[in-house]
């Protein structure tokens, strides 16, 4: 596959051992977005660790607790659930294209650059499965590792025209997959019964309530294998690659590196994306806290409200990226950059996002799972959110210390050696 429309600069002298990006070459916005993304991810995962809580028809967020807990649940459904993963997918695709373009600009052949990314994808699949088995079944690294393996091979060397066509095809598949069952149920007068509130709660796939680590590991491995080798391919068939390819497209235009050149696009995306994302999840959030009376089936993962929440989550994820890029543009242009230390610490997390992501589980699992200290049985949605923020802050402190010392994250160091073969 060769590029059909994209032009590249004349190649630099060939480097037999391609190197990764130097610190001075990094743009702020992508790292800042990754640092914030990890806070959103750790918060969105909190429901999985509350293994004694009563879960609602969706099977994810608990329904018990006081008004503060309900406020936390409402906020998470509206702003986080199925809204963080599209943000992750966009940044993942963006980072892949950055690496590809950087390598080819240094003289690496396109085939060689794709080979580097292929090794990276295979490593991520292994890391993801190990993470799922040892600590947390809801791993997303292996899932995106498989997606990147397929999409990198298919699209990195394609031109803009092909990329735009497939983004359009993917968007159509996503809309059809979400709307077809809703329209069909509506025409048959069965909208309220669409879905299955009696399905096994999704939180059960995490095995957090198993007092045996070995038993829980078996459950987690099964879940990890399903997510990586079943859910990821199904996502490809259903258009789940769309936001990923949008990351490819945006990276070719350096939208996050040069936000000042794309302000109208970023403003529209931020406002429209966040509005659609939050409004699309609002019915599910209202039903969850009892403010909207709808059948339990409609609130389930495959129900009408769940489908509406999920499909609009893609818009929210893109809106979040655009908002972060706008903030970066505003902050870097300011004469007095207040909060410089906080911005540096947040971007330090983004530079070490894989290490920090795995550290979340390393801290969470032994503290919260039944096979560990079992604290997840005594927390509520609100107190669990506080613990999640505390865990994230621990990684912020660690990343900031490594940044000041000029050290990469440990997992990034190992991955870099495997990618570049020494």
């Amino acid at each position: 596959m060769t590029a059909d429309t994209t032009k590249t600069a004349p190649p630099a002298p060939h480097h037999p051992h391609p190197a990764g990006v130097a610190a001075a070459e990094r743009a702020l916005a992508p790292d800042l977005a990754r640092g914030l993304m990890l806070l959103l991810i750790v918060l969105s995962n909190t429901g999985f660790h509350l293994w004694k809580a009563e879960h609602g028809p969706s099977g994810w967020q608990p329904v018990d607790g006081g008004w503060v807990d309900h406020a936390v649940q409402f906020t998470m459904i509206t702003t986080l659930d199925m809204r963080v993963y599209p943000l992750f997918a966009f940044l993942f695709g963006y980072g892949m294209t950055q690496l590809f373009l950087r390598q080819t600009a240094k003289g690496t052949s396109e085939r060689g650059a794709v080979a580097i990314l292929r090794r990276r994808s295979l490593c991520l699949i292994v890391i993801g499965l190990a993470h799922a088995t040892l600590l947390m079944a809801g791993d997303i690294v292996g899932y995106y590792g498989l997606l990147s393996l397929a999409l990198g091979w298919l699209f990195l060397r394609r031109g803009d025209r092909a990329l735009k066509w497939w983004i359009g095809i993917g968007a159509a598949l996503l809309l059809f997959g979400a709307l077809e069952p809703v329209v069909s149920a509506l025409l048959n007068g069965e909208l309220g019964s669409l879905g299955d509130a009696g399905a096994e709660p999704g939180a059960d796939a995490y095995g957090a309530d198993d007092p045996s680590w070995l038993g829980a590991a078996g459950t987690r491995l099964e879940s990890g294998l399903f997510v990586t080798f079943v859910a990821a391919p199904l996502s490809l068939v259903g258009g789940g690659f769309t936001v990923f390819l949008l990351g490819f497209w945006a990276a070719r235009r350096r939208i996050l590196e040069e936000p000042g050149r794309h302000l109208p696009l970023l403003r529209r995306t931020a406002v429209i994306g966040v509005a659609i994302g939050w409004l699309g999840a609002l019915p599910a959030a209202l039903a969850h806290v009892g403010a909207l009376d709808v059948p339990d089936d409609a609130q389930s993962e495959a129900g009408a409200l769940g489908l509406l929440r999920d499909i609009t989550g893609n818009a929210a994820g893109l809106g979040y990226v655009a908002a972060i890029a706008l903030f970066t543009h505003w902050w870097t242009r300011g004469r007095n950059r207040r909060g410089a230390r906080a911005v540096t610490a947040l971007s330090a997390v983004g530079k070490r996002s894989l290490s920090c992501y795995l550290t979340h589980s390393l801290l969470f699992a032994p503290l919260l799972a039944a096979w560990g200290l079992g604290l997840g049985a005594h927390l509520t949605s609100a107190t669990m959110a506080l613990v999640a923020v505390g865990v994230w802050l621990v990684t912020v402190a660690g990343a900031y210390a490594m940044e000041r010392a000029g050290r990469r994250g440990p997992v990034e160091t190992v991955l870099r050696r495997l990618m570049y073969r020494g």
Side-chain angles (χ1 to χ4, degrees):
M1 292 177 294
T2 57
D4 49 20
T5 62
T6 303
K7 296 181 179 180
T8 57
H14 177 66
H15 294 267
H17 300 289
V21 60
E25 298 178 54
R26 300 189 71 109
L28 176 60
D31 287 329
L32 202 60
R34 292 184 187 101
L36 180 60
M37 175 193 70
L38 286 179
L39 172 61
L40 303 182
I41 285 178
V42 76
L43 284 169
S44 67
N45 285 339
T46 54
F48 311 146
H49 300 287
L50 299 174
W51 48 273
K52 265 205 170 181
E54 178 185 354
H55 288 81
S58 71
W60 298 107
Q61 289 291 343
V63 293
D64 50 8
W67 69 268
V68 176
D69 299 301
H70 293 317
V72 170
Q73 295 156 12
F74 179 92
T75 302
M76 287 189 177
I77 293 172
T78 306
T79 63
L80 297 181
D81 288 358
M82 302 309 295
R83 275 123 187 83
V84 183
Y85 296 132
L87 169 61
F88 184 93
F90 179 91
L91 292 173
F92 203 107
Y94 198 101
M96 280 184 65
T97 304
Q98 279 184 309
L99 191 152
F100 176 80
L101 294 176
R102 204 157 43 229
Q103 290 300 322
T104 54
K106 290 179 178 180
T108 306
S109 68
E110 289 188 345
R111 185 182 296 272
V114 170
I116 291 172
L117 283 161
R118 182 168 58 247
R119 289 195 293 272
R120 177 176 180 260
S121 298
L122 292 171
C123 289
L124 291 177
I125 292 172
V126 174
I127 291 171
L129 289 175
H131 177 218
T133 304
L134 297 174
L135 295 169
M136 214 267 283
D139 173 82
I140 55 176
V141 172
Y143 176 93
Y144 284 108
L146 191 138
L147 285 182
S148 65
L149 186 65
L151 297 178
W153 173 63
L154 289 171
F155 291 106
L156 272 177
R157 288 178 283 174
R158 292 291 184 96
D160 283 357
R161 185 178 180 183
L163 204 58
K164 289 176 182 177
W165 268 104
W166 279 101
I167 289 172
I169 292 170
L173 289 172
L174 283 174
L175 286 172
F176 178 80
L179 296 179
E180 189 277 332
V182 174
V183 172
S184 177
L186 184 62
L187 293 175
N188 293 322
E190 300 172 349
L191 187 61
S193 59
L194 177 67
D196 183 10
E200 181 182 15
D204 290 354
Y206 286 69
D209 60 342
D210 195 325
S212 164
W213 179 88
L214 191 60
T219 301
R220 292 194 300 267
L221 175 59
E222 183 180 349
S223 300
L225 290 171
F226 176 84
V227 168
T228 303
F229 296 113
V230 178
L234 287 176
S235 175
L236 287 173
V237 174
F241 56 84
T242 307
V243 178
F244 206 107
L245 293 188
L246 280 169
F248 281 18
W249 176 86
R252 290 180 179 183
R253 285 150 186 80
R254 298 178 58 83
I255 288 178
L256 296 186
E257 290 97 329
E258 302 170 356
R261 296 178 55 192
H262 308 278
L263 291 178
L265 173 63
L266 290 171
R267 287 168 182 151
R268 288 195 301 269
T269 303
V271 173
I272 297 174
V274 172
I276 290 175
W278 289 7
L279 290 174
L282 186 59
L286 290 171
H288 183 87
V289 298
L292 187 64
D293 187 16
V294 297
D296 285 350
D297 284 341
Q299 299 182 54
S300 68
E301 191 172 358
L305 299 189
L307 291 172
L308 178 62
R309 177 204 63 193
D310 293 355
I311 191 64
T312 55
N314 293 292
L318 294 174
Y320 291 163
V321 174
I324 294 169
L326 288 170
F327 167 80
T328 304
H329 174 71
W330 167 81
W331 188 80
T332 54
R333 287 172 60 89
R335 294 182 180 178
N336 182 17
R337 296 185 184 179
R338 296 182 179 179
R341 184 174 297 178
V343 170
T344 300
L346 196 57
S347 63
V349 175
K351 294 176 185 178
R352 301 158 182 83
S353 55
L354 186 53
S355 293
C356 291
Y357 172 71
L358 297 176
T359 300
H360 292 167
S361 299
L362 193 61
L363 296 175
F364 263 143
L367 287 174
L368 302 174
W371 53 263
L373 295 180
L375 298 182
H378 308 289
L379 297 173
T380 66
S381 294
T383 53
M384 183 68 237
L386 292 176
V387 171
V389 172
V391 166
W392 177 76
L393 288 174
V394 169
T395 64
V396 171
Y400 183 63
M402 283 188 282
E403 180 74 9
R404 296 194 65 179
R407 296 174 57 188
R408 289 188 174 90
V411 184
E412 284 78 13
T413 299
V414 173
L415 183 59
R416 177 188 174 90
R417 290 174 180 169
L418 293 172
M419 285 171 58
Y420 301 111
R421 293 179 174 173

